[in-house]
Coordinates of all heavy atoms in Angstrom, one line a residue:
P23 N 10.4 -91.0 -20.3 CA 9.2 -90.7 -21.3 C 9.8 -90.3 -22.6 O 10.9 -89.6 -22.6 CB 8.5 -89.7 -20.5 CG 8.9 -89.8 -19.1 CD 10.3 -90.2 -19.1
E24 N 9.1 -90.6 -23.7 CA 9.6 -90.2 -25.0 C 9.9 -88.8 -25.1 O 10.9 -88.4 -25.8 CB 8.6 -90.7 -26.0 CG 9.0 -90.5 -27.5 CD 8.0 -91.1 -28.5 OE1 7.1 -91.7 -28.1 OE2 8.2 -90.8 -29.7
A25 N 9.0 -87.9 -24.6 CA 9.2 -86.5 -24.8 C 10.5 -86.0 -24.1 O 11.2 -85.1 -24.5 CB 8.0 -85.7 -24.2
V26 N 10.8 -86.7 -23.0 CA 12.1 -86.3 -22.3 C 13.3 -86.7 -23.0 O 14.3 -86.0 -23.1 CB 12.0 -86.9 -20.9 CG1 13.4 -86.7 -20.2 CG2 11.0 -86.2 -20.0
R27 N 13.2 -87.9 -23.7 CA 14.4 -88.5 -24.4 C 14.7 -87.6 -25.6 O 15.8 -87.6 -26.1 CB 14.0 -89.9 -24.9 CG 13.9 -90.9 -23.8 CD 14.1 -92.4 -24.5 NE 13.1 -92.6 -25.5 CZ 11.9 -93.1 -25.3 NH1 11.7 -93.5 -24.0 NH2 11.1 -93.4 -26.2
A28 N 13.7 -86.8 -26.1 CA 14.0 -86.0 -27.3 C 14.8 -84.8 -27.0 O 15.3 -84.1 -27.9 CB 12.6 -85.5 -27.9
D29 N 15.1 -84.5 -25.7 CA 15.9 -83.2 -25.4 C 17.3 -83.5 -25.9 O 17.9 -84.5 -25.6 CB 15.8 -83.1 -23.9 CG 16.4 -81.7 -23.5 OD1 17.5 -81.4 -23.9 OD2 15.7 -81.0 -22.7
P30 N 17.9 -82.6 -26.7 CA 19.2 -82.7 -27.2 C 20.3 -82.7 -26.1 O 21.4 -83.1 -26.5 CB 19.4 -81.5 -28.1 CG 18.4 -80.4 -27.6 CD 17.2 -81.3 -27.2
R31 N 20.0 -82.3 -25.0 CA 21.0 -82.3 -23.9 C 21.5 -83.7 -23.5 O 22.6 -83.9 -23.1 CB 20.5 -81.5 -22.6 CG 20.4 -80.1 -22.8 CD 19.8 -79.4 -21.6 NE 18.4 -79.8 -21.4 CZ 17.7 -79.4 -20.4 NH1 18.2 -78.7 -19.4 NH2 16.4 -79.8 -20.3
W32 N 20.7 -84.7 -23.8 CA 21.0 -86.1 -23.5 C 22.2 -86.5 -24.4 O 22.9 -87.4 -24.0 CB 19.9 -87.1 -23.6 CG 18.8 -86.9 -22.6 CD1 17.6 -86.3 -22.8 CD2 18.9 -87.1 -21.3 NE1 16.9 -86.2 -21.6 CE2 17.6 -86.7 -20.6 CE3 19.9 -87.6 -20.4 CZ2 17.4 -86.8 -19.3 CZ3 19.6 -87.7 -19.0 CH2 18.4 -87.4 -18.5
Q33 N 22.3 -85.9 -25.5 CA 23.4 -86.2 -26.4 C 24.6 -85.4 -26.2 O 25.6 -85.4 -27.0 CB 22.9 -86.0 -27.9 CG 21.6 -86.6 -28.3 CD 21.6 -88.2 -28.0 OE1 22.5 -88.9 -28.2 NE2 20.4 -88.6 -27.4
L34 N 24.6 -84.6 -25.2 CA 25.7 -83.7 -24.9 C 26.0 -82.8 -26.1 O 27.2 -82.5 -26.4 CB 26.9 -84.4 -24.4 CG 26.9 -85.0 -22.9 CD1 25.9 -86.1 -22.7 CD2 28.2 -85.4 -22.4
S35 N 25.0 -82.4 -26.7 CA 25.1 -81.5 -27.9 C 25.7 -80.2 -27.6 O 25.2 -79.4 -26.6 CB 23.7 -81.3 -28.6 OG 23.7 -80.3 -29.5
E36 N 26.6 -79.7 -28.3 CA 27.3 -78.4 -28.2 C 26.3 -77.3 -28.4 O 26.3 -76.3 -27.7 CB 28.5 -78.3 -29.1 CG 29.3 -77.0 -28.7 CD 30.7 -77.0 -29.4 OE1 31.0 -78.1 -30.0 OE2 31.3 -76.0 -29.4
D37 N 25.4 -77.5 -29.4 CA 24.4 -76.5 -29.6 C 23.4 -76.3 -28.4 O 22.9 -75.1 -28.1 CB 23.5 -76.9 -30.8 CG 24.3 -76.8 -32.1 OD1 25.4 -76.1 -32.1 OD2 23.8 -77.4 -33.2
A38 N 23.2 -77.3 -27.7 CA 22.2 -77.3 -26.5 C 22.9 -76.4 -25.4 O 22.1 -75.9 -24.6 CB 21.9 -78.7 -26.0
Y39 N 24.2 -76.3 -25.4 CA 24.8 -75.6 -24.3 C 25.7 -74.4 -24.9 O 26.6 -74.0 -24.2 CB 25.8 -76.5 -23.6 CG 25.1 -77.6 -22.8 CD1 24.9 -78.8 -23.4 CD2 24.5 -77.3 -21.6 CE1 24.2 -79.9 -22.7 CE2 23.8 -78.4 -20.9 CZ 23.6 -79.7 -21.5 OH 23.0 -80.6 -20.8
H40 N 25.3 -73.9 -26.1 CA 26.1 -72.9 -26.8 C 26.3 -71.7 -25.9 O 27.5 -71.2 -25.8 CB 25.4 -72.5 -28.1 CG 26.1 -71.5 -28.8 ND1 27.2 -71.8 -29.5 CD2 25.9 -70.1 -29.0 CE1 27.7 -70.6 -30.1 NE2 26.8 -69.7 -29.8
A41 N 25.3 -71.1 -25.3 CA 25.5 -69.9 -24.5 C 26.4 -70.1 -23.3 O 27.3 -69.3 -23.1 CB 24.0 -69.4 -23.9
E42 N 26.2 -71.2 -22.7 CA 27.1 -71.5 -21.5 C 28.6 -71.8 -21.9 O 29.5 -71.2 -21.3 CB 26.6 -72.7 -20.7 CG 25.3 -72.5 -20.0 CD 24.0 -72.9 -20.8 OE1 24.2 -72.9 -22.1 OE2 22.9 -72.9 -20.3
L43 N 28.8 -72.4 -23.0 CA 30.0 -72.8 -23.4 C 30.8 -71.6 -23.9 O 32.0 -71.4 -23.7 CB 30.1 -73.9 -24.5 CG 29.6 -75.2 -24.0 CD1 29.4 -76.1 -25.2 CD2 30.6 -75.8 -23.0
I44 N 30.2 -70.6 -24.5 CA 30.7 -69.4 -25.1 C 31.0 -68.5 -23.9 O 32.1 -67.8 -23.9 CB 29.7 -68.6 -26.0 CG1 29.6 -69.4 -27.3 CG2 30.1 -67.2 -26.3 CD1 30.9 -69.4 -28.2
R45 N 30.2 -68.4 -22.9 CA 30.4 -67.6 -21.7 C 31.6 -68.2 -20.9 O 32.3 -67.3 -20.3 CB 29.2 -67.6 -21.0 CG 29.0 -66.3 -20.0 CD 27.6 -66.1 -19.6 NE 26.9 -67.3 -19.1 CZ 25.7 -67.7 -19.6 NH1 25.1 -67.0 -20.5 NH2 25.2 -68.8 -19.1
G46 N 31.8 -69.4 -20.9 CA 32.9 -70.0 -20.2 C 32.6 -70.1 -18.6 O 31.5 -70.0 -18.2
R47 N 33.6 -70.4 -17.9 CA 33.5 -70.6 -16.5 C 33.0 -69.3 -15.8 O 33.4 -68.2 -16.1 CB 34.9 -71.0 -15.8 CG 34.8 -71.3 -14.3 CD 36.1 -71.6 -13.7 NE 36.2 -71.4 -12.3 CZ 36.0 -72.5 -11.5 NH1 36.0 -73.7 -11.9 NH2 36.1 -72.3 -10.2
S48 N 32.1 -69.5 -14.9 CA 31.4 -68.3 -14.3 C 32.3 -67.6 -13.4 O 33.0 -68.2 -12.5 CB 30.2 -68.8 -13.4 OG 29.3 -69.4 -14.2
P49 N 32.5 -66.3 -13.5 CA 33.3 -65.5 -12.6 C 32.5 -65.5 -11.2 O 31.3 -65.4 -11.2 CB 33.3 -64.1 -13.2 CG 32.1 -64.1 -14.1 CD 31.8 -65.4 -14.6
L50 N 33.2 -65.5 -10.1 CA 32.6 -65.5 -8.8 C 32.8 -64.1 -8.1 O 32.4 -64.0 -6.9 CB 33.3 -66.5 -8.0 CG 33.3 -68.0 -8.5 CD1 34.0 -69.0 -7.6 CD2 31.9 -68.5 -8.9
D51 N 33.2 -63.1 -8.8 CA 33.3 -61.8 -8.2 C 32.9 -60.7 -9.2 O 33.5 -59.6 -9.0 CB 34.7 -61.6 -7.8 CG 35.8 -61.7 -8.9 OD1 35.3 -62.0 -10.0 OD2 37.0 -61.5 -8.7
D52 N 31.9 -61.0 -10.0 CA 31.4 -60.0 -10.9 C 30.8 -58.8 -10.1 O 29.9 -59.0 -9.4 CB 30.4 -60.6 -11.9 CG 29.8 -59.6 -12.8 OD1 28.9 -59.0 -12.6 OD2 30.4 -59.5 -13.9
P53 N 31.2 -57.6 -10.3 CA 30.7 -56.5 -9.5 C 29.1 -56.3 -9.5 O 28.5 -56.0 -8.6 CB 31.4 -55.3 -10.0 CG 32.6 -55.8 -10.7 CD 32.3 -57.1 -11.3
E54 N 28.6 -56.4 -10.8 CA 27.1 -56.2 -10.9 C 26.4 -57.4 -10.2 O 25.4 -57.1 -9.6 CB 26.7 -56.1 -12.3 CG 27.3 -54.8 -13.0 CD 26.7 -54.7 -14.5 OE1 26.0 -55.6 -14.9 OE2 27.1 -53.7 -15.1
E55 N 26.9 -58.5 -10.3 CA 26.2 -59.6 -9.6 C 26.4 -59.6 -8.1 O 25.6 -60.0 -7.3 CB 26.9 -61.1 -10.1 CG 26.5 -61.3 -11.6 CD 27.1 -62.6 -12.1 OE1 27.5 -63.5 -11.3 OE2 27.2 -62.8 -13.3
L56 N 27.6 -59.0 -7.7 CA 27.8 -58.8 -6.2 C 26.8 -57.7 -5.7 O 26.2 -57.9 -4.6 CB 29.2 -58.4 -5.9 CG 30.3 -59.4 -5.9 CD1 31.7 -58.9 -6.0 CD2 30.2 -60.4 -4.7

């Protein structure tokens, strides 16, 4: 659908994933998350 195509994530835009890319790979032993 046209509305879905407009999502910038389809272009693999760095801006669309800015928070995740800045944070980097998820730690698997974060004390607060444990």
Side-chain angles (χ1 to χ4, degrees):
E24 184 176 352
V26 173
R27 289 200 302 270
D29 193 307
R31 290 177 294 175
W32 294 108
Q33 310 306 320
L34 283 72
S35 162
E36 190 166 349
D37 290 343
Y39 296 97
H40 179 75
E42 290 89 347
L43 294 172
I44 289 296
R45 206 161 44 232
R47 181 185 166 99
S48 298
L50 303 183
D51 57 358
D52 181 274
E54 293 184 1
E55 292 180 18
L56 285 166

